Amino acid sequence: MADGAVHGLGFLGVRVDDLARFMAAVSLYPDTLGLVPFRYESGRLAWFRLGDGTELHLYGPEDRDHVAFGDRPCVGLVVEDVEATRRKMEKAGIEFLWETQRDTSRAWAHYRGPDGSVYAARSRQYSPPATAHTRQKSAPRSTSGSGGAERPAANECLSGALLVEPIDDLGAHQRGLGSSVSESSDPAQ
């Protein structure tokens, strides 16, 4: 496939400033459509995964990382190589909002489209580079097979990686009865 080609839709992100409307939207997907959130933070966000793997991200009034979305949905397009796509788009005059972001499974970069909406170029899967600024300081290092050069061990992950657990009872989380979701300091995905 050509460099910079779009493979599909990775996610759709929607920001809702009003708490009542946000909670109504959060309830619609599990209650009516049977979607189970894989990440939920009361008043801040709810993430759902559709049957084809596409993600639906809802951001509430307590979320400050996605204010740039405004009142328009953010579309995340899946590309083969986020950095190559970014270079190609920057050459064409497209403005990127932040540096390319990464977690343990993918990379993404938000940009403002010619229509004024925020979009994202997002990889299917990402392999983290072996650089000191992306490794957790406590993670083990391995030099085997690399000519003595330090490289990340197999279980090493990026600092601030998003770790999530399924939510069994969204209603319990809405009532503040528990939390099985890990927090993330990762800005805007």
Side-chain angles (χ1 to χ4, degrees):
M1 197 165 268
D3 188 30
V6 175
H7 297 280
L9 182 64
F11 77 93
L12 179 68
V14 179
R15 189 164 193 317
V16 182
D17 279 329
D18 178 78
L19 183 60
R21 286 184 24 227
F22 171 71
M23 295 309 293
V26 167
S27 295
L28 170 70
Y29 297 103
D31 295 350
T32 306
L33 299 177
L35 297 178
V36 177
F38 68 92
R39 182 168 180 203
Y40 177 76
E41 295 174 28
S42 183
R44 183 166 181 262
L45 60 81
W47 291 3
F48 302 91
R49 188 167 288 118
L50 308 181
D52 67 355
T54 303
E55 295 175 9
L56 172 61
H57 297 182
L58 299 176
Y59 298 102
E62 293 181 23
D63 176 81
R64 303 315 309 157
D65 295 333
H66 300 88
V67 173
F69 290 6
D71 60 357
R72 298 177 182 179
C74 175
V75 175
L77 302 173
V78 177
V79 298
E80 191 66 35
D81 182 333
V82 171
E83 291 301 332
T85 301
R86 180 180 182 136
R87 285 189 299 273
K88 187 175 183 180
M89 293 175 71
E90 285 176 330
K91 224 176 196 181
I94 299 299
E95 168 201 2
F96 280 78
L97 304 180
W98 305 288
E99 293 299 317
T100 299
Q101 297 168 314
R102 295 168 173 83
D103 67 15
T104 57
S105 64
R106 64 181 54 97
W108 64 94
H110 287 90
Y111 62 93
R112 190 163 310 281
D115 64 343
S117 296
V118 175
Y119 296 85
R122 180 181 189 181
S123 63
R124 288 179 203 246
Q125 189 165 349
Y126 169 75
S127 299
T131 60
H133 70 279
T134 59
R135 290 189 299 228
Q136 291 183 354
K137 292 181 181 174
S138 62
R141 305 287 185 260
S142 172
T143 56
S144 62
S146 62
E150 190 176 302
R151 64 179 174 79
N155 64 346
E156 188 170 336
C157 66
L158 296 172
S159 177
L162 168 66
L163 303 174
V164 298
E165 299 173 18
I167 295 175
D168 295 325
D169 180 10
L170 178 62
H173 290 278
Q174 290 173 336
R175 293 184 303 273
L177 300 177
S179 178
S180 64
V181 179
S182 299
E183 297 288 327
S184 171
S185 60
D186 221 3
Q189 181 178 354

